[in-house]
Amino acid sequence: QLASDTATLFVLACGSSFVIMLGGIDLSIQAMASLASVIVALTIDRLGYGSFVFAVLVGALSGALAGLAHVKLKIPSFIATLAIGGVLAGAALVISHEHSITLDEHQRQYLTWITGSSLGIPHEVFIGLAVLLLGHILQGRTRFGRYSAAIGAGEAAAFASGVKVDRQKIVAFTLSSGFAGLAGVILA
């Protein structure tokens, strides 16, 4: 039960670890999760399961924008993601008309892959394990992960070694916010 209750926070933490590995911080993840849950609630009738993909893609796009602001405009990640988070939180309030959105029985059927259980284990636990596996593969078994660790250990040295630091940062912010979009899907 505890694992099920904390699955959303676990997905958020896994995503933000990509940015933390670089020595940055992403303060927009909570707002992105909130916006993603609103997107799912408002689009599930028209898009069905596509609303989940749409919410994650909006998350990835907002992360890419935060990464671009950090890298190209030389804004510290703290400030860039705080600003993006404010925009995302405002967008969630505006499109939801500042009201909670309830899902009817038909809409809730789309969420059984999240809210159900198999073998007595809630599906949120399986989603958390899948995210853990994906995060481990990305950080431990790919060039992206090795470069991220190198940048976190010393950005100047990583740059001098030929690592495309700016691209790595943008990808890390994109992943962080995309995972936050997934967390918002779970919240819905």
Side-chain angles (χ1 to χ4, degrees):
Q1 184 61 42
L2 181 62
S4 173
D5 291 343
T6 59
T8 305
L9 294 175
F10 181 77
V11 172
L12 284 170
C14 282
S16 69
S17 69
F18 296 115
V19 174
I20 292 169
M21 285 283 292
L22 300 171
I25 190 165
D26 189 350
L27 298 177
S28 67
I29 56 175
Q30 182 274 336
M32 184 57 240
S34 176
L35 178 61
S37 66
V38 170
I39 288 170
V40 168
L42 291 176
T43 62
I44 200 163
D45 272 337
R46 288 176 299 231
L47 300 178
Y49 291 108
S51 66
F52 306 134
V53 175
F54 181 58
V56 172
L57 289 176
V58 168
L61 177 63
S62 73
L65 291 174
L68 284 169
H70 172 59
V71 167
K72 297 300 181 190
L73 300 177
K74 305 293 184 206
I75 299 172
S77 62
F78 177 87
I79 303 298
T81 58
L82 185 63
I84 293 287
V87 170
L88 297 173
L93 286 172
V94 168
I95 66 174
S96 68
H97 302 291
E98 299 177 18
H99 291 86
S100 60
I101 303 166
T102 57
L103 301 177
D104 60 29
E105 250 343 278
H106 171 67
Q107 294 167 324
R108 287 185 184 152
Q109 290 175 355
Y110 287 106
L111 298 171
T112 56
W113 68 276
I114 299 170
T115 59
S117 65
S118 297
L119 306 170
I121 301 172
H123 288 166
E124 293 103 334
V125 174
F126 293 119
I127 294 168
L129 289 172
V131 166
L132 175 64
L133 180 62
L134 178 62
H136 174 71
I137 290 169
L138 287 173
Q139 288 186 353
R141 308 268 185 221
T142 65
R143 190 178 327 167
F144 168 76
R146 288 188 300 276
Y147 289 171
S148 294
I151 293 167
E155 186 174 328
F159 181 78
S161 299
V163 174
K164 297 194 180 345
V165 173
D166 290 353
R167 182 176 65 191
Q168 290 294 120
K169 287 183 176 184
I170 293 169
V171 170
F173 280 98
T174 302
L175 285 170
S176 176
S177 205
F179 275 58
L182 177 61
V185 168
I186 297 169
L187 276 175

